[in-house]
Amino acid sequence: MDVKTLCLGVISVKPCSGYEIKKTIEDDFRSFFRASYGSIYPALAELERSGHVVGEAVEQEKRPDKKVYRITEAGLDALRASLADEEPRHVVRSEFLVLMCFAHLLTPERAAWVVDRMIAHFDGLMRTEVERWDEAAAELGPGERFALGYGRAVLTAALSYMQRER
Amino acid sequence: MDVKTLCLGVISVKPCSGYEIKKTIEDDFRSFFRASYGSIYPALAELERSGHVVGEAVEQEKRPDKKVYRITEAGLDALRASLADEEPRHVVRSEFLVLMCFAHLLTPERAAWVVDRMIAHFDGLMRTEVERWDEAAAELGPGERFALGYGRAVLTAALSYMQRER
DNA sequence: GGGCCCATGTAATTAGTTACATGATTAT
DNA sequence: ATAATCATGTAACTAATTACATGGGCCC
């Protein structure tokens, strides 16, 4: 799964611009996916070239024009197809845990600081997940609810482990 | 933190070859770091060029020769320095959770299969973590114990959540 | 006046992966 | 016989990030 597929997925829920896609990824996918403008805009351009989305320029008052993309029939087919045959991956890259493995080479203060940083980080993620749950629980699909619940379960476990062991 | 730093860290624990570093990463870091030969061997070459490790060819009977690297004083200093000032990162990239967010575009069978796949995947990770704990708990440093415990806590939470919700 | 929000895009760079090349030994 | 383990390395490729370029509106 690449940025292109995710963009297509986001557009399938609701037509939007590159800028809005970035917002959505930050708000709703932040704990398990990230993408920068440098990957989103080229992805959009290619999706349009291949006819999976169509973009329409929208003029706005008191702010820059934007280009809103909506998904086509072909795009929806392509999205369904790629969701249907991709291996589900789940990759964690934790330089934090590597750091902990070499904790004996750190000063105790540094080690404690590192753990505190991660607690703060997870705490931030947790806050946004709870916020989103409180605000939008009703209109969430079952899949989104599953993903959000997963995040909460894992973050809760991570936080309580770290607080217990630090 | 890049592959180079991790290689240096592994070598600091015990001199070893590129092949053995790969094994170690697979056995001890598999749930939060991965690296292929294509990144390990060039990393080793550069570490040797910069004098952070020294390699020695070791002849073996009935198997290919290997090149065992050990860390130098300068290498240990460099390792300490880089562990001391890197921001601790922890990045999750879960195409699985993205897939779940778009579960309404999947057949129910496919959705169930995807969840089962992840359960099997986490189960495999869990098994190796428990194995490692049982086998090597005594000789593990406190940092490694922390990392292993973290993995167990998070995997336990993830598994019980998925089994509950599937 | 400084800094953030809105908005789009490109170019250079990074950090890795995959696939290839080679080959003896050992286990199934 | 066939696959896996041991062992090193390179070249081509991929998929992303960062930094740059541009500019009006709004808040303090």
Side-chain angles (χ1 to χ4, degrees):
Chain A
M1 166 125 37
D2 49 14
V3 172
K4 230 170 77 184
T5 310
L6 179 57
C7 287
L8 195 54
V10 171
I11 292 167
S12 82
V13 174
K14 181 172 174 290
C16 51
S17 65
Y19 189 84
E20 288 159 352
I21 288 172
K22 177 100 192 301
K23 279 265 117 88
T24 302
I25 294 173
E26 267 166 11
D27 292 348
D28 304 351
F29 300 83
R30 74 198 304 274
S31 62
F32 53 89
F33 209 100
R34 42 199 62 210
S36 61
Y37 291 125
S39 61
I40 293 171
Y41 285 117
L44 252 18
E46 217 197 295
L47 284 170
E48 192 169 33
R49 257 200 310 283
S50 58
H52 291 165
V53 301
V54 283
E56 188 199 359
V58 174
E59 281 172 52
Q60 296 186 116
E61 277 173 39
K62 315 217 170 182
R63 51 183 64 180
D65 295 355
K66 61 179 175 179
K67 197 167 170 188
V68 174
Y69 296 88
R70 60 178 179 73
I71 198 164
T72 62
E73 276 303 312
L76 194 55
D77 288 345
L79 176 59
R80 278 213 193 86
S82 65
L83 295 179
D85 67 35
E86 277 186 279
E87 266 302 296
R89 306 196 167 286
H90 180 94
V91 177
V92 178
R93 169 149 178 160
S94 179
E95 300 171 5
F96 159 63
L97 288 172
V98 173
L99 222 50
M100 293 317 291
C101 285
F102 299 119
H104 56 283
L105 296 172
L106 266 40
T107 63
E109 304 81 53
R110 163 75 174 162
W113 180 87
V114 164
V115 176
D116 286 343
R117 268 280 145 136
M118 286 314 294
I119 291 176
H121 176 239
F122 286 145
D123 222 51
L125 287 179
M126 186 62 131
R127 247 176 259 277
T128 58
E129 302 246 316
V130 169
E131 220 170 83
R132 186 160 147 70
W133 182 267
D134 292 345
E135 277 172 16
E139 70 223 43
L140 251 41
E144 287 168 283
R145 220 170 294 163
F146 177 94
L148 217 60
Y150 177 93
R152 274 207 322 205
V154 166
L155 284 173
T156 305
L159 278 168
S160 76
Y161 177 81
M162 287 197 286
Q163 261 139 12
R164 201 165 64 237
E165 297 292 318
R166 83 169 282 283
Chain B
M1 166 125 36
D2 50 14
V3 173
K4 231 171 76 184
T5 310
L6 180 57
C7 287
L8 195 54
V10 172
I11 293 167
S12 81
V13 174
K14 182 172 172 290
C16 51
S17 66
Y19 188 84
E20 288 159 352
I21 288 171
K22 178 101 191 303
K23 279 267 119 86
T24 302
I25 294 173
E26 267 165 13
D27 294 347
D28 305 352
F29 300 84
R30 74 200 303 274
S31 62
F32 53 88
F33 208 99
R34 40 199 63 210
S36 62
Y37 292 126
S39 60
I40 292 170
Y41 285 118
L44 252 19
E46 219 198 292
L47 284 169
E48 192 169 32
R49 258 201 309 285
S50 58
H52 291 165
V53 301
V54 283
E56 189 198 359
V58 173
E59 281 171 53
Q60 296 185 116
E61 277 172 41
K62 316 217 169 184
R63 51 182 64 181
D65 295 354
K66 63 179 176 178
K67 196 166 170 188
V68 174
Y69 297 88
R70 61 177 178 74
I71 198 164
T72 62
E73 275 303 313
L76 194 56
D77 288 345
L79 177 58
R80 279 213 192 87
S82 65
L83 295 179
D85 67 34
E86 277 185 278
E87 266 299 296
R89 307 198 167 285
H90 180 94
V91 177
V92 178
R93 168 149 178 160
S94 179
E95 300 171 6
F96 158 63
L97 288 172
V98 173
L99 222 50
M100 293 317 290
C101 285
F102 300 119
H104 57 282
L105 296 173
L106 266 38
T107 63
E109 304 82 54
R110 163 77 176 160
W113 180 88
V114 164
V115 176
D116 286 343
R117 268 280 144 137
M118 286 314 293
I119 289 175
H121 177 238
F122 285 146
D123 222 49
L125 286 180
M126 186 62 131
R127 247 176 258 278
T128 58
E129 301 245 318
V130 169
E131 220 169 85
R132 188 161 145 71
W133 182 267
D134 291 347
E135 277 171 16
E139 70 223 41
L140 252 42
E144 286 167 283
R145 219 170 294 164
F146 177 94
L148 216 61
Y150 176 93
R152 275 207 322 205
V154 166
L155 285 172
T156 305
L159 279 168
S160 76
Y161 177 80
M162 287 198 285
Q163 261 138 13
R164 202 164 63 237
E165 298 291 320
R166 83 168 284 282

